[in-house]
Structure formats: structure tokens, C-alpha cells
Amino acid sequence: MTRTTPTRPLDVEVLFPELAAYRGTTTRLHPRPGTAHVSESSVGGPMLWPAEEPWPLCDEAHSRGRGRRPADVRRYRQVLATAWTRDRASGPTGEERELLEELCREHRTPGASVTDPLPMIGLAQLYRRDVPDLPGGPDGCDLLQVFWCPFSMHGPGRYDLNLHLRWRRSWEVGEVLGLPPQPLLVGSDGFVPEPCVLHPERVLSYPFAGLLPEELCARLDTWDETREEEAEQTAGEIAARAIDYQYDLSIPPGWRIGGFASWHATDPYPMDCRTCRTPMNLLLTIDSSEWDGGSGSWKPLEDRHLPTHRSDTPTEVVVGRFGELNVFACPTDPGHPHRWSIQ
């Protein structure tokens, strides 16, 4: 089933013709629960990983001996989903609540060392043939595979993620690894993705307002403020929520490839390649939700009948405090190390 983004509530280029010079595209991935094959793009699905190649490991020193079991995380979600589907009014039964409580319990790995090899979790794999805005990888690579450590205890502040990206040429893979290693424990259930198939859709996108020329940014801010004041004056009416540039007309929410990064949580800062100093392009956005109350105008037509609180988190991935992870790549040499920012 395809996913179709609704027409924008306003034509932003009619309002601000100069935005045409900054117009770009992004591919919304529209992940939805489902079973994918290793030959298909997916989130949380099987990886096209050579049987003879070592699986990515986190080798940074950090505590890894306490957390939830990945199998418990998945079982918890299944029990809860079944309960809500069966009876939205009362939810889980008493017996199910006891099981859910048990599945939430943290466990320990006795004798675990801070440097024990820790298998990373396969987060996503993307074939260039499936995703229009996915750039080619180094040396003709057509497949991007994304992994992360299931603990956010890296870097100087001990709160950073450890992300690993692997480009490969899919046609060179022979025997595929049948049973990838899995971490015994995870620091948070948000590190465990639900298997999802993708429904890529290319849409128009415009830069974050703070990165546009100062005069244009000021006009956009003024327009947003005026719309908000008008909405307040019509409070209680159906159209009371203000349509604004950031949430409705520029950058779509959810998992996507290419386009422009949002800087709504921090001030924009340079994202230059640390190898050649070239300004980097947005490669991938990993989002905690596909839409929310503020960005609901992007909700696909095929999903418009679904309640937001039950349908906006199909991957179950959580970035930081329910934010988004923007991954950047060097346009000069895609083999240069990637960078990322959490918003």
C-alpha cells in the first residue's frame, strides 16, 4: 500500500516567490509494520550481511550489564497492541498487566565488563533503487546499512549515541548471515526497532527558516506570528490551529532521506566534513514519530482515519527525548566519516 502526502495547505512559493530558489526534495520513507526480505529496504528488518564478515560491534567502554532484554521489549509491544486492539475501552486484562510489568523488569549480566564486545542493532537498510534521494555510496555502492549501539552512554558527556553506517555493493554479497548476533540487554526499549517495510515517496521541501537569508527569515517569522494571532482570534473553530512555515510548509516529519535538516531544538551550527571541510548534506533523518499534533498536516491520506497516538510511532524507535537524529554525508566523497545531530 502506498502512502500519499496531502497537498500542502498553502502554496508557500505563491506567498514567498523567492523560496523557489531554495526548493529541494526529500524522500519520506513511510515505515509501517511488516516483514521485509534481505533484498528489500526496511527499518528493523533483515540485513543483507555477508556470512563471512564480522558483525558491527560497539567497542567503546561503557556500562552494558544492566537493561531490558530485546525479546522482552518486543513481547511487551505485542501484548499491549493485542490488548488495545481487542478492547480500547478497558485495555489490558489483569493477567496481561502482570505480564507487562514482568516484561518491563530490568536484568543484569553478571560479570559484564565495560569493554565486552557488544553487538550493534541493525536499524535500517536502504537500497538506492528504492529511495530516489539516496545518493550513491563510495565506489559505486548501492546499499546503505545503519546500525547503532543500544546504549546512549558514549562520548565525553556519556550521553551520546554510537552510530555505524556501512555502504556496500549488494551484488557482491554471496552467502547471507542467517542469524546475526544480538545484544543481551538494551539500555532503552527505544533502541529496538519494530520490523517495518517502507513506502518511499518523494515530496518537495524547503530549508529551515533560520538558514535562509536574514530578510526572508524575518518575513517568514512575521507571517507565522500573524497567522498565530489570527488563529487565536478564531479559537474554538475548526481552523483555529495556525498554519506555519516550520510545521506545515517546509520540512516533513518522520523518517526520510535527503532534503533539509530541522534545527528546532538548537541553533543551527556548521556541519562540515571533518576530513575535507566541505559543508555536508543531510543523508538520513531517523525520527521518533511520523507526525504529531503540530505536524499533523503531513499525515498520509491513507492513514487519515487512524488515531495519532496509536499510529504515529510505527518503528517504536526513540531518539533522545523523543526527537530526531539527522545524519550528514560529505558530497565530495561519500566515504568520508558521517556526522549527526539530535534535534
Side-chain angles (χ1 to χ4, degrees):
M1 185 178 184
T2 60
R3 291 298 186 277
T4 309
T5 297
T7 302
R8 295 299 79 215
L10 294 171
D11 189 333
V12 72
E13 289 188 23
V14 171
L15 298 169
F16 303 92
E18 56 268 57
L19 277 174
Y22 301 95
R23 181 199 310 140
T25 61
T26 186
T27 298
R28 303 186 71 187
L29 296 179
H30 296 306
R32 298 295 184 273
T35 302
H37 187 265
V38 293
S39 62
E40 298 174 313
S41 299
S42 66
V43 168
M47 294 285 198
L48 185 75
W49 193 265
E52 74 280 1
E53 188 172 322
W55 187 261
L57 302 174
C58 178
D59 56 6
E60 291 193 31
H62 63 76
S63 175
R64 59 196 68 190
R66 179 176 179 177
R68 294 182 65 190
R69 296 169 177 162
D72 288 351
V73 172
R74 296 188 178 96
R75 177 63 176 149
Y76 178 93
R77 294 169 179 169
Q78 292 171 356
V79 172
L80 197 59
T82 299
W84 287 119
T85 301
R86 181 189 63 243
D87 187 352
R88 295 185 181 182
S90 60
T93 64
E95 183 179 351
E96 287 172 331
R97 291 180 188 279
E98 290 182 7
L99 176 57
L100 291 171
E101 184 176 350
E102 173 62 24
L103 293 172
C104 279
R105 188 165 64 89
E106 286 194 336
H107 296 267
R108 293 179 180 272
T109 303
S113 166
V114 297
T115 57
D116 284 346
L118 179 61
M120 287 188 159
I121 289 179
L123 188 58
Q125 73 169 10
L126 304 165
Y127 287 89
R128 195 180 184 199
R129 66 170 186 267
D130 297 333
V131 185
D133 285 289
L134 182 66
D139 302 320
C141 290
D142 68 320
L143 175 61
L144 174 65
Q145 297 174 314
V146 185
F147 304 81
W148 64 6
C149 173
F151 289 87
S152 55
M153 306 174 69
H154 310 86
R158 290 301 183 188
Y159 290 103
D160 291 341
L161 299 174
N162 185 5
L163 196 68
H164 176 75
L165 277 71
R166 179 70 61 89
W167 286 98
R168 69 170 67 255
R169 291 179 285 274
S170 62
W171 60 88
E172 294 182 347
V173 178
E175 183 182 355
V176 177
L177 181 65
L179 189 62
Q182 293 289 315
L184 296 177
L185 303 174
V186 298
S188 170
D189 57 353
F191 284 113
V192 182
E194 279 295 295
C196 288
V197 296
L198 307 182
H199 307 84
E201 177 200 23
R202 179 181 254 181
V203 298
L204 294 181
S205 183
Y206 299 89
F208 183 73
L211 294 176
L212 291 168
E214 185 175 350
E215 185 272 338
L216 177 56
C217 179
R219 289 171 53 211
L220 285 168
D221 287 344
T222 299
W223 182 80
D224 281 346
E225 291 171 2
T226 301
R227 296 286 302 183
E228 186 175 351
E229 291 173 358
E230 292 174 350
E232 290 177 353
Q233 294 173 1
T234 58
E237 298 181 11
I238 295 178
R241 192 188 75 79
I243 295 170
D244 63 24
Y245 179 76
Q246 176 178 326
Y247 291 106
D248 299 290
L249 306 178
S250 58
I251 301 174
W255 286 62
R256 56 193 181 86
I257 290 289
F260 306 103
S262 176
W263 296 91
H264 56 275
T266 68
D267 290 332
Y269 55 86
M271 193 60 70
D272 298 334
C273 176
R274 287 176 172 152
T275 301
C276 66
R277 310 312 303 172
T278 301
M280 305 181 90
N281 295 333
L282 180 65
L283 174 64
L284 166 67
T285 295
I286 298 168
D287 207 335
S288 299
S289 66
E290 289 298 296
W291 60 81
D292 58 24
S295 58
S297 70
W298 295 94
K299 190 175 184 179
L301 296 175
E302 295 81 1
D303 297 327
R304 60 187 180 276
H305 64 286
L306 300 176
T308 294
H309 70 283
R310 296 274 310 284
S311 61
D312 62 344
T313 56
T315 69
E316 298 285 358
V317 166
V318 177
V319 176
R321 296 181 178 179
F322 213 73
E324 65 185 42
L325 175 65
N326 291 313
V327 183
F328 298 83
C330 177
T332 301
D333 187 341
H336 287 170
H338 300 84
R339 297 185 63 185
W340 53 84
S341 167
I342 295 180
Q343 294 295 309

